[in-house]
Amino acid sequence: MFRRLLVAFDGSPHAQRALAEAVDLAQTISGRLTVMTVVPEPSAWALGSGYAPAVDLNDLNSQIEREYQAMLDATVDSVPSDLPVKKVLARGPAGPAIVAEARAADHDLVVMGSRGRGELRSLLLGSVSHHVLQASPVPVLVVHVPEEPAS
């Protein structure tokens, strides 16, 4: 039985649905959660070409990390108070960071959304959920948000 759930969270609708499923599962089995978010490292490509003004990467990294920490804190605060929860903030490429956490800590299951913050990002960087499915040492539950019916 799964009792120690690792939830990968990036703020997307799919991640929010994955968190809700993980909370329901953990409450049903008297489990515990670890909610994890991964701060991406800005690349030179993402910052633009030589036409953009100079950017202080340390300042940008600090600002991005603060935003992700605030998102993680708010997410953990939204978990019911009777459910044991731990938070993890990692840095770098999301897929390898999630797999590393799954390997390093004592998790039985990774719960994550099927898509992240944007399809373009997924197209350019590869699918985080696909990477985790292929590399995780523990089972992975990939949660999908159904599409709204066309009007």
Side-chain angles (χ1 to χ4, degrees), residues 3 16 25-26 31 71 73 103 106 113 116 136-138 142 144 151:
R3 301 191 68 91
Q16 291 170 358
L25 180 59
M71 177 183 65
D73 293 342
R103 285 186 201 284
D106 193 24
S136 176
V138 299
V142 178
H144 177 71
S151 301

Side-chain angles (χ1 to χ4, degrees), residues 2-3 5 18 20 34 40 42 55 65 68 70 72-73 75 79 111 119 125-126 134 137-138 145-146:
F2 304 119
R3 301 191 68 91
L5 288 66
T34 298
V55 175
E65 186 167 328
Y68 274 76
L72 180 61
D73 293 342
T75 301
V79 172
V111 183
E119 290 185 42
L125 301 178
Q134 298 301 313
V138 299
V145 174

